[in-house]
Amino acid sequence: DRAVAAKVAARGHIIILRSSKHYDPVDLRYISEHAAFVAAPVTLRSVAQEVVVDRAGLAGLSRSQSPQQQPSPVAAAGRVTRFAGDLVTDVADTTTMAFVLAGLSAFFNGSFPAVSRLPSGPALDPVLFNGLVAVGVFLTSLMVPLFTGGAFLFAPAGAAGGAVFVIAALFSFIAIPRVGLATAQAVWSCSAILTSFTWGAFGPGEIALPVGDITRTIAALVVLLIGVLIIVNKEKIALKFDGEEPDKPKKEKKVDPADATAGLVSAMTCGFFGGSILVPFKYLPPDVQGLAAVPSFGCGALVMGTLLTLGYWTVVKKEKGLPSSSFEWTLAGIVGGAIWSAGNCCSIIAQSPPYSLPYGIASPIRECALFFGGLWGIFVFSEIEGTAIGVFWAGAFILGSGIV
C-alpha cells in the first residue's frame, strides 16, 4: 500500500504499485527517483512471499536504463518475482524492529519513576521532582545531535510536545492525593491508551491511518484496558483470592465528593496529555523530522517545567525564595529525565522512516509502561508479594495479548 511503498522507496528497494491512480504526483515522483525498479500493476501475496504480475499491463522503469534498454514485460516480471521474497522479508524485519522500539519506549517510561526510590532522607515534593525530571529531559535532548550528527534546529511543534509532557506529569501529581495512586494510575493509563488510539485511528490526516479491521482493533483495545486494570488492582484482587478483607483504618477518612471528582478529572486529563505527547511531532517541517526535533522537545519541557515549578512554589505553596533539593534528589530527578528521554527517543524512531509504526499503535504500547514498573516492584523493591505476583503476571499476559 501507499505507506509501505513510500517506506521501501526510502530504502532504495524495488517498489510494487497496485495502480498509479492511488498515488498523487508528488508520491510518484518521489518513488520513481528513489526506487531501483517500479512495476505496476501487481498483487503482492506476502504470506506466500511471491508476486503475481499482470504482464500485459506491466511497465518496467529504471533510472539507469534508456528506453531501448528497458526490460521486456516478461523479463521485468521475472525480476520482480526474483526480488519479491527479499522485499517482503525486509518489510517484515522493519515491522519487527518497530515493535521492539515501541517496547523499549514502554520499558524506559515505566522505569524512570523507580529512581525516585533511591535517594535517602526526606522525600522531595513531587512537583519539584517533576521540575528536575524536565531538566534531565532537556540536558539529554541536547546530546541527540551529537549522536545523529545533525545540526541543532528549533521547531515550535517539537517544543510543544515537551510542554505537553510536563503538563501530563503535573496532572498526575494533582490526581494522586485526591483519589489515591491505584485509582489515579488506572484512570490515566486507560485514558492515555484510549487517547493515543483515537489520535491514531480517527485523528487528522497527518496523524491517523485507516483501521484495517475495526472489530479486531476494538477487541485488542478492550483487552489492553482489562490488562491495565488487573495490574493496577493486583493487591485487591489477590486479597479476594486469599479470602481476606483489606485492613480498614480505625477512623474512616471522609472523602469530599468535589475533591474526588477533581482527582478523577485530573487523572483523565493526565492521560489525555500523556497520550498526546508526540502529536505535535506530526506537524514538524520536513527539515526537522524525527530525532532532529528532540532538542526542541527538551527546550519546551525545560520552559514549561520551570514555569510550573516556580508557579507552584510561589502561588500554591506560598514559599519565599527559590526551591532547593539535596544532591541525591537533584541527581535522581535528572537521571529520571534522561531515562524517560531515552524512551521518548525510542518511540520517535519507531514512528519515523524506515519503521513508520502508526501513532495509534506505538503510543498505546508506550502507555503499557506500568508492566515494567511492576517488574521493578517485584524484583528490586519487593513491593509486590504473594498472590499479588500471580495476579500481576495474569494481567501482564492479558496486556501482551492485547498488544499482539
Side-chain angles (χ1 to χ4, degrees):
D1 60 21
R2 177 171 175 171
V4 174
K7 180 193 303 182
V8 181
R11 304 191 73 179
H13 290 284
I14 292 174
I15 297 304
I16 300 174
L17 305 181
R18 294 178 185 272
S19 172
S20 60
K21 68 182 181 181
H22 296 300
Y23 298 80
D24 59 45
V26 175
D27 291 323
L28 289 174
R29 185 171 66 250
Y30 179 84
I31 289 172
S32 65
E33 289 175 353
H34 291 79
F37 185 80
V38 179
V42 301
T43 301
L44 175 63
R45 297 199 303 219
S46 58
V47 176
Q49 293 194 0
E50 63 177 344
V51 174
V52 180
V53 181
D54 177 5
R55 296 178 180 175
L58 183 65
L61 305 176
S62 174
R63 289 179 288 120
S64 61
Q65 294 175 314
S66 64
Q68 291 77 17
Q69 296 173 316
Q70 290 291 329
S72 67
V74 175
R79 185 175 179 184
V80 174
T81 304
R82 188 164 58 252
F83 286 103
D86 292 339
L87 184 149
V88 174
T89 302
D90 184 72
V91 173
D93 289 344
T94 57
T95 301
T96 300
M97 190 61 192
F99 277 96
V100 170
L101 288 166
L104 284 173
S105 73
F107 167 74
F108 288 119
N109 194 26
S111 299
F112 89 91
V115 298
S116 65
R117 301 290 308 273
L118 300 179
S120 57
L124 184 67
D125 188 296
V127 178
L128 299 187
F129 184 76
N130 184 52
L132 292 172
V133 169
V135 174
V137 170
F138 168 71
L139 293 176
T140 50
S141 71
L142 298 181
M143 300 173 62
V144 171
L146 300 179
F147 289 98
T148 61
F152 180 91
L153 301 172
F154 181 78
V164 170
F165 157 67
V166 175
I167 293 173
L170 175 68
F171 276 103
S172 71
F173 296 133
I174 296 175
I176 291 172
R178 287 167 172 78
V179 294
L181 177 60
T183 300
Q185 191 176 39
V187 171
W188 77 51
S189 295
C190 292
S191 175
I193 289 175
L194 290 172
T195 297
S196 55
F197 168 77
T198 301
W199 279 117
F202 309 109
E206 293 83 358
I207 307 168
L209 287 176
V211 178
D213 188 330
I214 188 64
T215 302
R216 293 179 61 186
T217 300
I218 297 286
L221 198 63
V222 171
V223 171
L224 276 177
L225 298 178
I226 292 174
V228 167
L229 293 175
I230 291 176
I231 290 176
V232 170
N233 295 285
K234 54 192 173 295
E235 284 86 3
K236 293 181 180 179
I237 297 174
L239 289 175
K240 295 292 184 181
F241 277 107
D242 294 337
E244 301 178 11
E245 292 293 330
D247 294 333
K248 295 183 178 180
K250 295 180 180 179
K251 187 176 181 180
E252 294 286 346
K253 180 181 178 181
K254 293 183 179 180
V255 178
D256 183 359
D259 207 36
T261 301
L264 291 174
V265 171
S266 296
M268 287 188 287
T269 305
C270 168
F272 170 76
F273 282 105
S276 307
I277 289 175
L278 291 183
V279 167
F281 271 54
K282 304 302 179 180
Y283 297 92
L284 289 167
D287 58 333
V288 193
Q289 293 281 337
L291 292 178
V294 171
S296 301
F297 185 100
C299 291
L302 178 67
V303 172
M304 183 59 71
T306 301
L307 292 176
L308 290 180
T309 301
L310 293 179
Y312 167 79
W313 190 251
T314 57
V315 178
V316 178
K317 298 285 287 185
K318 301 185 184 303
E319 298 283 353
K320 295 181 180 180
L322 296 175
S324 61
S325 69
S326 66
F327 174 78
E328 280 186 292
W329 277 105
T330 300
L331 181 62
I334 293 175
V335 171
I339 294 173
W340 188 92
S341 188
N344 189 44
C345 287
C346 288
S347 186
I348 292 171
I349 296 172
Q351 297 178 55
S352 303
Y355 308 109
S356 301
L357 193 65
Y359 189 91
I361 297 177
S363 291
I365 292 176
R366 184 189 62 203
E367 298 306 328
C368 295
L370 74 167
F371 164 71
F372 295 101
L375 293 183
W376 284 99
I378 293 173
F379 296 109
V380 179
F381 301 114
S382 301
E383 296 174 331
I384 307 174
E385 299 176 337
T387 307
I389 295 179
V391 176
F392 170 84
W393 284 113
F397 176 79
I398 294 174
L399 195 70
S401 300
I403 294 174
V404 174

